Amino acid sequence: MAVGTQGPGGRLRRPVLSWGVALLLTISAGTEVQAQTPTAPRPQVDSLLVEGNVRIRANQIIATSGIQLFQPINFRGIQRAIQALYRSGQFDDVRIEERESPTHLILAIVVVERPLLQRWFVRGAQKIEESRVRGRIRLLEGRAVDRTAVAQSVAAVDSLYRKRGYYAVSVSANEMLQPSGAVQIEFVISEGSRVAISQVVIDGNAAFSDAEVVQGMRTRPEGFWWYQKGEYNEDRLEEDIRANLPSWYANHGYVDFRVVSDSLIPDTTAGKAILHLTVEEGDPYRVGTFEIVGNRRYSATDLKRFFPFGIEVEPGDGRTLGDPYDKSAWDAGTEQMTSLYNNTGYIYSQIAAQESRRRDNDGNAFLDLRWRIVEGSPATINKIIIVGNDVTHERVIREAIVMVPGQVFNRDLMIRSYENVSNLTFFEQPLPVPDIQPTANGVDVDVIFRVQERRTGNFNFGASLGQGTGIGGFIGLQEPNLFGRGKQGSVQWSFGRNISDFNLSYTDPAIRETRMSGTITLFNSRQRFTIGDLGRQRQVGVNLQLGFPLFGSRFTRVFASYGIQQRKFEGSSTDLLSQFSCNNCTRSTLGFGLARDTRIGLPFPTAGSSVRVNTELNGGIIGGTGRYQKVDLEGRWYTPIGVVGGDGSLGAGIRLVLGFTARSGFIFGDTGPFITERYSLGGVQFGTPLRGYEEFSITPDGFDPRAGSTQATANAFGGAFAAYTLEAGARVSQSLYVNTFFDAGNNYHGVRDFNPTRLFRSYGIGAAVVSPLGPLGLDVAYGIDKVDAQGRSTPSWVVHFRLGNFF
């Protein structure tokens, strides 16, 4: 007879207490019989046996069961023993049986041990990173197989795929028995195809159509264009429900909007799904009353200019209370006012944007708005601390910081300082955000800039193949942070079939630790391209330039320069030499320039601008063969258009930028033998770049279909030019930039022929990278306005490669 009920996963095969039948039967007797029959004592365990164990010792199993020799036992004790053994996680089956004995109670604990897990692995994970799949599996190798953990791991992997839209996924766990008795578990994944959202159905929307509401979501149905894939992602949908849709509706005045329910109806056979949302829009709100409380530093009139709704900042501006509420406008106004306080030292100020709902007698919904301000005290910068600069001298970094101790804290100046330090390019990117630490008085602050040095100099050499250089090589040494003082030095020798250049340059941005900068350049260049019958040219010279800040500005400098150059023509025609009246010609140049540079994110700017004006006086009273003047103008403007990733941190993520560049140049007078000082256009190697066209192909007389590589005629050079570039780019990192662009430009005989509307056009895509071999660029451009020798339109693609410069 059974002593107790069957334990979890185990059972009693034979009666454990057969000789106590009479005692147990009394349990079913009436109260009167029980009162008359004395209770018999529980039987004692005389002997314990363990059967079926291999890895685990018998005494461990007995200790885990809790059954003790010579102690009374009943069916509850048997159940507790079986449960304890199962909880140990070491057994697949547990039974407690009675062994035959006429006078003693002998119990046998019969177990089936779980095998040890030797290892587990994943097969079939392709559309989701295997590392993410492995992160969902909770199994410990070298221990007994946990069947519950296996099942939970299978469910977790299945859930991971379903969250990404793979509703046809199948996950299984296969055990493979090894000769040692251990097992290996293989998680096999059949991913199937990802369902695409073919339609978004919304119930409860009255103010806006389904298509309009979808514009406020990141989850959208598939469409005609290649990027409209309709991919389903559960995390993205959750973000839409919790944040994106309520924010979109609030921007239209519906602040009570909520999503009641959502469901996805997948069709795994067709690979499609319908997303169904049920919403409650609520009523549209209008702006009611508005007040500002707590302001002392600024008057209400000063602060009301940040209020985006119906209040007359200026008399007669036409705005009245009752404007439709727009949450994004309200948040933007609050942020502008916060910046105002932060930029005047009130970094401890707190501005609470408060909203109170109410209805008028007609049931119309209004939001009464209030800015509650706790100003606190203005903070003064106590110290500016720089940490982590093991190589770069502190003076170099401090020169880039536009804040000084003792001044009132200004958030915009702190951001500008952060950008300037990043522009030095001496440190790992992105830089940590400056740390603002209150001082002991609780009001003033210390600003801490943390940097991590990066390898800046490089020695490079190798072979190259490119337009204009042919097959050749290069050897170079560059260091933009000489001696850790921000001084720049470079030695570069490029040699090949068509060009041989040697350049030695040294720049000191702070001569004797002043604001004056200087650059000296020595060069010996042989440009082996053909210009009509002039053959090859060789030029040797030196150039010295000094720069000074304009009225102490950190961003605007004026320059003065002087250069002298000797040019010699080799293998040239006697007739042409006599035409220019010299073979060993000298060019003496006095230059003046103005440059304003506020760009950030160099070498690939993400904001700011650069404007340069340069003039040159050649010959005349300063000597030399050439007698002409030259004016060059260049402007570059960049504006950020978004950030992908980065969690909103300064400098982090992929920075999207829109850029515009305009360049032009004019020559007054006769350049004489210095014909290459005139302007050439086309390609990227020699003159002014115009991608999509071959070198020297844009001439003052129009497009030259015979130009290209190193071949040019004297007619290819003009006395004026215009070139424009519009680009949309992504700064992936400080070392990688990709973009799409539109170029336009033209070359003119002289200033009188200058016409910036008559242009040759192109478009394309490109990439630039800062590599250990130096800057590398690659562009693929389509020249729109090319023609053949008969004047017929022949647009085509051109690949441009350049080493040592960016496009």
Side-chain angles (χ1 to χ4, degrees):
M1 124 183 163
V3 174
T5 60
Q6 179 178 337
R11 58 186 182 279
L12 294 172
R13 286 192 172 180
R14 298 195 53 201
V16 176
L17 306 176
S18 57
W19 48 271
V21 173
L23 173 64
L24 296 178
L25 288 175
T26 61
I27 297 176
S28 61
T31 304
E32 182 178 349
V33 175
Q34 293 180 24
Q36 296 175 358
T37 305
T39 302
R42 291 180 295 170
Q44 296 182 349
V45 178
D46 294 291
S47 182
L48 276 172
L49 304 176
V50 176
E51 300 176 358
N53 59 311
V54 178
R55 293 186 294 104
I56 307 172
R57 291 179 297 179
N59 59 350
Q60 291 179 312
I61 297 175
I62 293 173
T64 303
S65 71
I67 300 176
Q68 299 181 8
L69 290 174
F70 312 118
Q71 295 296 322
I73 191 72
N74 60 12
F75 73 93
R76 292 190 179 88
I78 298 296
Q79 287 180 326
R80 285 195 294 269
I82 292 174
Q83 291 170 351
L85 289 170
Y86 269 111
R87 281 196 300 268
S88 71
Q90 299 292 333
F91 308 105
D92 279 334
D93 190 26
V94 177
R95 303 190 306 273
I96 297 181
E97 301 176 354
E98 179 190 0
R99 294 291 183 258
E100 294 184 2
S101 174
T103 59
H104 296 85
L105 177 59
I106 302 174
L107 296 182
I109 303 176
V110 183
V111 297
V112 177
E113 293 178 341
R114 287 180 176 176
L116 289 177
L117 177 59
Q118 185 181 82
R119 62 182 290 260
W120 60 267
F121 54 94
V122 176
R123 182 166 60 86
Q126 297 178 346
K127 298 175 181 177
I128 295 182
E129 302 89 340
E130 186 172 319
S131 59
R132 295 183 64 88
V133 175
R134 294 177 65 88
R136 296 300 184 99
I137 297 175
R138 306 296 187 202
L139 291 180
L140 298 177
E141 296 177 351
R143 296 189 182 183
V145 175
D146 187 340
R147 310 291 183 189
T148 302
V150 172
Q152 291 174 343
S153 297
V154 169
V157 173
D158 182 87
S159 175
L160 173 65
Y161 271 88
R162 288 177 178 269
K163 281 187 175 182
R164 298 288 187 90
Y166 295 94
Y167 274 80
V169 67
S170 172
V171 184
S172 61
N174 302 329
E175 292 188 9
M176 296 177 290
L177 184 64
Q178 305 300 303
S180 63
V183 297
Q184 295 183 358
I185 296 182
E186 178 186 39
F187 290 89
V188 181
I189 304 172
S190 175
E191 295 177 322
S193 59
R194 190 176 195 171
V195 296
I197 299 177
S198 60
Q199 185 180 5
V200 178
V201 178
I202 302 175
D203 290 338
N205 54 314
F208 304 98
S209 66
D210 289 6
E212 290 174 317
V213 175
V214 168
Q215 296 304 310
M217 303 170 60
R218 292 183 61 197
T219 303
R220 298 183 180 182
E222 60 184 351
F224 173 78
W225 299 106
W226 75 94
Y227 58 85
Q228 297 174 315
K229 298 179 180 180
E231 293 181 348
Y232 173 78
N233 185 298
E234 188 172 309
D235 293 337
R236 187 183 302 163
L237 177 61
E238 184 69 17
E239 180 185 358
D240 286 333
I241 292 173
R242 292 184 177 275
N244 295 339
L245 276 177
S247 177
W248 187 84
Y249 262 91
N251 292 343
H252 293 80
Y254 292 82
V255 297
D256 293 332
F257 170 86
R258 70 188 185 99
V259 178
V260 178
S261 64
D262 66 280
S263 61
L264 187 73
I265 307 173
D267 181 355
T268 56
T269 302
K272 306 294 182 181
I274 298 176
L275 177 61
H276 189 277
L277 300 178
T278 302
V279 304
E280 288 183 1
E281 292 181 328
D283 294 329
Y285 281 79
R286 291 184 172 273
V287 177
T289 61
F290 169 66
E291 63 176 336
I292 302 174
V293 296
N295 56 305
R296 294 177 299 171
R297 171 64 177 81
Y298 297 100
S299 68
T301 302
D302 292 334
L303 298 180
K304 282 180 180 179
R305 61 192 175 93
F306 299 114
F307 185 68
F309 305 114
I311 188 169
E312 291 191 347
V313 178
E314 297 292 340
D317 68 356
R319 292 187 293 170
T320 59
L321 293 174
D323 286 352
Y325 176 75
D326 183 338
K327 186 177 186 303
S328 61
W330 175 236
D331 291 344
T334 305
E335 178 61 28
Q336 290 173 350
M337 193 167 65
T338 301
S339 296
L340 172 67
Y341 272 93
N342 286 341
N343 289 335
T344 51
Y346 289 85
I347 62 174
Y348 303 111
S349 63
Q350 300 177 8
I351 301 176
Q354 299 176 342
E355 306 167 357
S356 299
R357 293 170 170 80
R358 68 176 173 87
R359 293 182 180 273
D360 62 9
N361 295 332
D362 296 328
N364 298 316
F366 288 91
L367 277 179
D368 294 334
L369 304 179
R370 177 188 296 111
W371 276 327
R372 181 174 295 279
I373 305 171
V374 179
E375 292 182 337
S377 300
T380 300
I381 299 175
N382 178 53
K383 290 187 294 186
I384 297 176
I385 303 171
I386 301 171
V387 179
N389 53 316
D390 302 323
V391 176
T392 306
H393 283 234
E394 190 167 296
R395 184 201 60 78
V396 176
I397 303 174
R398 290 193 180 277
E399 185 68 21
I401 297 174
V402 295
M403 302 184 298
V404 295
Q407 76 175 132
V408 174
F409 179 86
N410 185 301
R411 182 174 178 270
D412 285 348
L413 291 182
M414 185 195 71
I415 294 175
R416 181 73 245 193
S417 299
Y418 170 88
E419 293 166 345
N420 288 351
V421 175
S422 296
N423 277 356
L424 294 175
T425 69
F426 303 156
F427 310 111
E428 295 290 346
Q429 300 293 323
L431 287 179
V433 177
D435 191 10
I436 304 173
Q437 294 288 346
T439 59
N441 64 16
V443 177
D444 297 336
V445 295
D446 294 334
V447 182
I448 304 174
F449 287 83
R450 302 183 187 276
V451 298
Q452 181 179 352
E453 301 277 4
R454 64 181 295 182
R455 185 180 66 84
T456 55
N458 60 75
F459 175 75
N460 52 71
F461 59 92
S464 65
L465 174 63
Q467 286 180 315
T469 60
I471 299 175
F474 59 91
I475 299 175
L477 175 62
Q478 297 175 338
E479 176 53 71
N481 191 17
L482 273 173
F483 319 117
R485 297 183 179 273
K487 306 179 191 301
Q488 304 169 23
S490 69
V491 179
Q492 189 75 32
W493 180 33
S494 300
F495 52 90
R497 176 173 58 86
N498 296 318
I499 191 170
S500 178
D501 273 323
F502 179 83
N503 284 275
L504 176 63
S505 176
Y506 174 76
T507 298
D508 189 341
I511 299 175
R512 301 182 66 86
E513 298 190 0
T514 66
R515 300 291 302 281
M516 182 172 67
S517 63
T519 299
I520 184 169
T521 303
L522 303 175
F523 57 89
N524 185 336
S525 175
R526 285 180 293 171
Q527 296 177 343
R528 302 185 179 187
F529 54 86
T530 303
I531 307 172
D533 292 330
L534 287 181
R536 301 178 181 89
Q537 68 171 342
R538 177 178 181 177
Q539 53 187 6
V540 179
V542 60
N543 186 76
L544 176 64
Q545 177 180 270
L546 297 176
F548 307 86
L550 180 64
F551 304 123
S553 172
R554 289 180 175 269
F555 307 111
T556 306
R557 299 180 74 81
V558 292
F559 297 93
S561 64
Y562 177 76
I564 187 167
Q565 171 188 130
Q566 185 181 55
R567 180 169 297 183
K568 181 179 181 180
F569 297 104
E570 300 174 343
S572 53
S573 166
T574 304
D575 293 338
L576 287 176
L577 288 178
S578 61
Q579 174 185 341
F580 290 125
S581 303
C582 77
N583 182 25
N584 243 340
C585 305
T586 301
R587 185 168 71 97
S588 180
T589 302
L590 181 64
F592 299 94
L594 173 69
R596 177 171 175 79
D597 194 344
T598 61
R599 294 175 296 174
I600 62 174
L602 296 175
F604 306 116
T606 57
S609 64
S610 171
V611 178
R612 296 178 180 273
V613 179
N614 293 306
T615 62
E616 290 183 6
L617 304 177
N618 293 271
I621 61 174
I622 58 176
T625 307
R627 295 178 183 273
Y628 64 95
Q629 297 77 46
K630 192 174 184 180
V631 178
D632 290 311
L633 309 173
E634 179 182 285
R636 297 175 181 265
W637 295 270
Y638 302 90
T639 181
I641 55 177
V643 180
V644 179
D647 301 324
S649 302
L650 282 175
I654 299 175
R655 322 290 290 188
L656 305 180
V657 60
L658 186 66
F660 176 70
T661 299
R663 287 180 294 179
S664 60
F666 308 92
I667 292 178
F668 304 88
D670 184 9
T671 59
F674 299 100
I675 188 171
T676 54
E677 291 301 315
R678 296 170 68 83
Y679 302 110
S680 64
L681 202 63
V684 298
Q685 185 62 37
F686 290 109
T688 301
L690 185 63
R691 293 165 287 190
Y693 296 88
E694 290 74 14
E695 306 289 336
F696 308 109
S697 61
I698 307 300
T699 76
D701 297 321
F703 176 74
D704 183 359
R706 299 167 298 177
S709 185
T710 59
Q711 301 301 313
T713 66
N715 294 330
F717 296 86
F721 83 96
Y724 308 94
T725 296
L726 178 65
E727 64 178 305
R731 180 182 183 267
V732 181
S733 69
Q734 196 181 33
S735 300
L736 177 61
Y737 177 76
V738 296
N739 71 337
T740 180
F741 58 84
F742 178 84
D743 281 358
N746 203 353
N747 204 351
Y748 311 98
H749 284 290
V751 178
R752 293 183 177 181
D753 300 313
F754 183 80
N755 182 357
T757 64
R758 182 166 57 89
L759 304 172
F760 290 87
R761 303 161 297 165
S762 67
Y763 60 84
I765 58 175
V769 62
V770 180
S771 74
L773 299 179
L776 298 173
L778 179 68
D779 273 0
V780 181
Y782 186 75
I784 301 174
D785 299 309
K786 291 182 178 180
V787 294
D788 60 15
Q790 286 73 41
R792 295 171 297 191
S793 177
T794 57
S796 64
W797 291 94
V798 179
V799 177
H800 300 285
F801 172 78
R802 192 166 189 177
L803 174 66
N805 204 348
F806 294 122
F807 303 147

